[in-house]
């Protein structure tokens, strides 16, 4: 298939290219190559490429900064997504819109299903929900893929941050009252690769399975990276005042994946260990691996 990817310079975008390139003809657009907020550029680019599938991974993703720059955020995440949806409709492409757990308010007990009521708490979450609405209103053949707590080889993310802090500090304070599902971008890219082969359109929750707090996530990061001397201190989210309000619980239930017999993402712990072993450019882990090879 001919697959066009927006936001191809981002952490998910790069793993989408890595996963899909062997089997497909890929047209990968970084922000410099295609600004999704530019309606004309989006329309002309996709009219020329005529893709079978568009994967729209581009977004304004700075959740705290978004509170101070709402206009810039809505321009990219809402209006930009409208532009991409219109181009998908006009070229006859299927559209994958990547969305977020931050469309929920976190007040539910238990994991969120695709059919649960949305109520974003932040500018970022609200702008992404607008993107979902444009997708649903404009396109017939679309997949809305909500995911959460992404980390991957090509990004600055929670995993890389914890590792880099642990190299400098003996004690790390970690929030223990925010719960979600960490997701490895390579696993998500593989799921999307299977999804686009189907005509099972609709909304999907696609995160690595299972739920943890930021504190538990950090515990496993340190263990997997062999940084066992570092002490973690559980603290409440009030200790880290942030501009954006985040949902307390944004665990996602993958009911649509199960009902449609699609390949589920694996549990978050083995995914994290694989990422740290195979993808994280971290000297401590590399040394340990080299040491083991010497045996
Ligand atoms: N990160 C998470 O934890 C998380 C969780 C749930 C859902 N998501 C969603 O997953 C998708 C991928 O996120 P990610 O983690 O890969 O984020 P990312 O690394 O920040 O990638 C997003 C990419 O979009 C690009 N971009 C920004 N504005 C653009 C514009 N106007 N036109 C075209 N490209 C633009 C960015 O370019 P620059 O770098 O040049 O700005 C960046 O390369 C996004 O839709 C995000 O909302 C992310």
């Amino acid at each position: 298939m001919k697959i066009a990817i927006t936001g191809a310079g981002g952490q998910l975008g790069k793993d989408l290219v890595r996963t899909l390139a062997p089997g497909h003809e890929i047209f990968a657009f970084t922000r410099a190559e295609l600004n999704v907020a530019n309606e004309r550029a989006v329309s002309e680019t996709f009219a020329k490429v005529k893709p079978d599938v568009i994967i729209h991974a581009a977004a304004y993703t700075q959740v705290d900064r978004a509170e101070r720059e709402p206009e810039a955020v809505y321009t990219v995440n809402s209006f930009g997504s409208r532009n991409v949806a219109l181009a998908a409709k006009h070229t006859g492409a299927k559209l994958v819109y990547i969305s977020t757990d931050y469309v929920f308010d976190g007040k539910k007990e238990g994991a969120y299903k695709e059919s649960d009521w949305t109520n974003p708490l932040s500018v970022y979450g609200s702008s992404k929900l607008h993107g979902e609405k444009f997708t649903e209103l404009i396109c017939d053949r679309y997949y809305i893929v909500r995911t959460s707590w992404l980390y991957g080889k090509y990004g600055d993310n929670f995993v890389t941050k914890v590792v880099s802090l642990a190299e400098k500090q003996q004690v790390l304070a970690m929030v223990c009252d925010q719960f979600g599902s960490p997701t490895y971008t390579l696993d998500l890219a593989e799921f999307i690769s299977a999804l686009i082969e189907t005509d099972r359109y609709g909304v999907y929750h696609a995160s690595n399975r299972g739920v943890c707090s930021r504190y538990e996530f950090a515990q496993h990061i340190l263990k997997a990276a062999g940084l066992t001397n570092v002490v973690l201190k559980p603290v409440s989210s009030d200790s880290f005042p942030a501009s954006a309000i985040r949902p307390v619980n944004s665990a996602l239930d993958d009911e649509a994946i199960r009902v449609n017999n699609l390949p589920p993402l694996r549990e978050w712990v083995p995914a994290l260990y694989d990422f740290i072993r195979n993808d994280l450019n971290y000297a401590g882990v590399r040394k340990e691996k080299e040491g083991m090879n010497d045996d």
Side-chain angles (χ1 to χ4, degrees):
M1 285 195 283
K2 266 193 194 179
I3 302 177
I5 299 170
T6 70
Q11 62 176 349
L12 176 60
K14 284 186 173 169
D15 265 341
L16 282 166
V17 173
R18 174 154 72 132
T19 303
L20 294 164
H24 301 278
E25 193 180 352
I26 302 296
F27 297 83
F29 298 102
T30 62
R31 188 227 282 255
E33 289 157 339
L34 180 63
N35 176 357
V36 296
N38 183 334
E39 182 174 3
R40 191 162 163 194
V42 170
S43 148
E44 289 179 357
T45 302
F46 290 130
K48 211 185 286 170
V49 169
K50 294 194 182 59
D52 301 303
V53 181
I54 298 172
I55 305 178
H56 177 33
Y60 182 125
T61 56
Q62 302 295 310
V63 177
D64 287 313
R65 205 173 76 199
E67 297 296 312
R68 300 187 292 278
E69 298 182 345
E71 205 175 321
V73 183
Y74 283 105
T75 301
V76 178
N77 294 355
S78 312
F79 182 66
S81 299
R82 164 206 175 261
N83 296 342
V84 175
L86 282 172
K89 185 185 171 77
H90 292 147
T91 56
K94 299 177 180 185
L95 175 61
V96 182
Y97 172 72
I98 309 296
S99 193
T100 170
D101 53 333
Y102 285 11
V103 297
F104 296 114
D105 63 18
K107 293 184 181 140
K108 182 176 176 179
E109 275 186 31
Y112 281 93
K113 291 183 191 287
E114 290 81 357
S115 53
D116 276 325
W117 197 248
T118 51
N119 183 30
L121 303 173
S122 61
V123 169
Y124 167 76
S126 157
S127 70
K128 292 290 294 182
L129 184 58
H130 280 80
E132 287 192 10
K133 300 289 178 207
F134 278 124
T135 301
E136 287 167 341
L137 283 170
I138 294 168
C139 297
D140 295 323
R141 298 192 306 149
Y142 66 83
Y143 317 87
I144 290 172
V145 177
R146 294 189 189 129
T147 189
S148 56
W149 294 20
L150 289 184
Y151 62 86
K153 180 175 184 170
Y154 304 105
D156 283 331
N157 47 60
F158 188 77
V159 179
T160 57
K161 250 181 244 160
V162 168
V163 168
S164 107
L165 282 174
E167 286 172 331
K168 292 176 233 137
Q169 292 168 218
Q170 276 298 300
V171 181
L172 299 183
M174 283 295 148
V175 169
C176 61
D177 57 2
Q178 252 178 39
F179 296 86
S181 309
T183 304
Y184 183 17
T185 46
L186 198 58
D187 285 7
L188 179 58
E190 276 164 16
F191 168 71
I192 292 169
S193 167
L195 181 65
I196 57 176
E197 298 288 347
T198 75
D199 57 3
R200 304 283 180 161
Y201 304 110
V203 183
Y204 287 88
H205 286 178
S207 294
N208 281 121
R209 282 185 159 171
V211 187
C212 63
S213 66
R214 294 272 178 195
Y215 173 81
E216 290 162 322
F217 189 12
Q219 272 182 325
H220 279 280
I221 294 166
L222 295 180
K223 198 167 159 208
L227 290 159
T228 41
N229 291 338
V230 178
V231 176
L232 282 183
K233 196 173 119 205
V235 295
S236 82
S237 35
D238 301 342
S239 318
F240 289 106
S243 313
I245 304 172
R246 287 160 172 78
V248 165
N249 160 41
S250 64
L252 299 178
D253 180 331
D254 63 358
E255 186 176 55
I257 291 182
R258 297 194 305 275
V259 168
N260 287 293
N261 281 324
L262 286 158
L265 280 79
R266 62 183 153 164
E267 291 286 325
W268 72 271
V269 174
L272 173 67
Y273 278 68
D274 266 3
F275 165 68
I276 290 187
R277 198 176 311 117
N278 301 330
D279 264 358
L280 185 70
N281 188 18
Y282 166 58
V285 173
R286 271 208 311 275
K287 263 188 222 142
E288 201 188 339
K289 274 167 92 177
E290 280 158 15
M292 283 193 296
N293 288 345
D294 287 346
D295 278 352

